[in-house]
Amino acid sequence: MISQIENGHVMPSVSTLWSLTTILGMPIDELFNNSKTPQQQTRTGDQAASVVDSPIQRSTNRERLRLAAGVVWERLTVRPDERVEFLKVNYAVGAESCPKDSLFRHGGKEYAYVISGRLGLQIGFSKYELKAGDSVSYSADQPHRLWTIGKEPAVAIWVIVNRNDDNYIEIRDGS
């Protein structure tokens, strides 16, 4: 499976991604393509200014991670941060974090703000609908699942704090 993911033959689901990074003991941020340097070169006229270590993450060079079922994570920080994952998450129409008969949980606390579209959220046995302008926070060690509702993509800003307390578990009906 890992070889297929590395070679672009398979895109993992969100739950599979959490599982892999937990087993490997690494933060999600390390999966983003870190070949680009966080330093940017600025130009004034024809003269190049010195390379500056900028705290600005430009939208034009944001690191993206494409997952199965139309989920795309965009890192909103210039560099990985071991304590916080700050992401823009795009859910295509029909996208879901894991199959309907599954929930997953992991370490940390999640905070989200929906920019557009509608997201379904299940935490334990409770189901919610989040619309543009809604926000949510919950302990990520509670079994949960996300999916797009309706015929337009959903976009949200996501913050995951203290994921390093991870103990990933996927829960499937009947297992």
Side-chain angles (χ1 to χ4, degrees):
M1 172 89 160
I2 292 173
S3 175
Q4 290 178 328
I5 292 168
E6 286 177 331
N7 292 313
H9 299 295
V10 173
M11 289 191 294
S13 67
V14 174
S15 60
T16 299
L17 187 67
W18 283 110
S19 178
L20 288 172
T21 57
T22 299
I23 289 167
L24 296 172
M26 62 190 284
I28 294 286
D29 269 347
E30 287 188 26
L31 296 178
F32 288 92
N33 179 5
N34 288 319
S35 62
K36 293 179 185 174
T37 176
Q39 298 181 345
Q40 298 176 348
Q41 187 169 1
T42 59
R43 292 186 176 266
T44 307
D46 288 337
Q47 296 182 347
S50 63
V51 175
V52 179
D53 188 11
S54 174
I56 307 300
Q57 176 59 63
R58 302 286 179 201
S59 62
T60 55
N61 67 351
R62 207 178 278 150
E63 299 290 346
R64 289 172 177 79
L65 189 60
R66 295 184 189 289
L67 304 170
V71 179
V72 178
W73 289 352
E74 298 180 36
R75 187 173 66 204
L76 297 176
T77 56
V78 176
R79 289 173 274 306
D81 184 314
E82 65 186 43
R83 288 176 252 139
V84 176
E85 291 174 15
F86 184 36
L87 307 165
K88 178 181 177 190
V89 181
N90 300 282
Y91 278 81
V93 174
E96 54 188 14
S97 60
C98 58
K100 290 179 183 177
D101 64 346
S102 298
L103 299 171
F104 71 103
R105 64 184 187 176
H106 52 86
K109 185 155 183 170
E110 296 196 27
Y111 301 86
Y113 174 79
V114 179
I115 296 171
S116 63
R118 295 183 299 152
L119 276 175
L121 169 63
Q122 181 175 351
I123 301 173
F125 295 107
S126 300
K127 291 184 180 181
Y128 308 93
E129 181 178 330
L130 301 166
K131 298 178 232 166
D134 291 345
S135 57
V136 64
S137 64
Y138 57 93
S139 177
D141 65 359
Q142 298 177 71
H144 59 282
R145 175 179 179 276
L146 293 142
W147 65 94
T148 307
I149 296 174
K151 296 183 179 184
E152 73 174 275
V155 179
I157 300 298
W158 225 268
V159 177
I160 305 165
V161 181
N162 293 327
R163 182 179 175 261
N164 55 352
D165 298 337
D166 218 341
N167 205 4
Y168 169 84
I169 297 175
E170 183 174 355
I171 302 161
R172 292 187 174 268
D173 285 349
S175 61

